[in-house]
Amino acid sequence: MIERIRILFLSANPWTTSRILVDEEAREIFEKLQEGSCRDRFELIKHEAIRALDLQRLLMMHEPHIVHFSGHASKNAQVDSWGHSR
């Protein structure tokens, strides 16, 4: 059996930030995958409201081939190796 390509869709949309349409974005990706002739070769895994500390655990748990992140960013935001914002 051929291994399916795992796409890990991660999103963070904190209530303190402006709203982004992460559900619609995930749905669009899923729909496009389903339209293709190789749809059975892909697996979309979705996790919402992730924190920096969740990232390593989710990557190790799912071992994705592709990671798609939808969320907010800023020029000054950094995350250290322990997952803490600075």
Side-chain angles (χ1 to χ4, degrees):
M1 182 171 180
I2 297 174
E3 181 180 19
R4 295 173 72 186
I5 297 169
R6 289 177 302 283
I7 302 170
L8 183 58
F9 183 96
L10 304 173
S11 63
N13 199 10
W15 66 271
T16 57
T17 61
S18 61
R19 305 314 299 158
I20 54 177
L21 305 174
V22 294
D23 289 338
E24 290 182 26
E25 187 175 347
R27 186 187 68 235
E28 262 186 61
I29 292 171
F30 180 77
E31 288 173 354
K32 293 299 180 190
L33 288 172
Q34 292 303 303
E35 290 173 5
S37 60
C38 296
R39 68 182 137 273
D40 295 333
R41 295 199 54 212
F42 295 94
E43 175 184 4
L44 184 61
I45 305 160
K46 184 176 158 186
H47 285 274
E48 300 171 335
I50 68 156
R51 302 161 297 185
L53 291 170
D54 298 326
L55 186 57
Q56 182 177 5
R57 178 181 53 81
L58 292 170
L59 290 171
M60 292 176 67
M61 180 170 55
H62 296 294
E63 297 181 350
H65 298 98
I66 299 169
V67 176
H68 178 92
F69 179 76
S70 180
H72 289 277
S74 70
K75 291 180 182 179
N76 298 327
Q78 297 177 1
V79 177
D80 63 23
S81 60
W82 296 101
H84 299 104
S85 297
R86 8 182 202 142

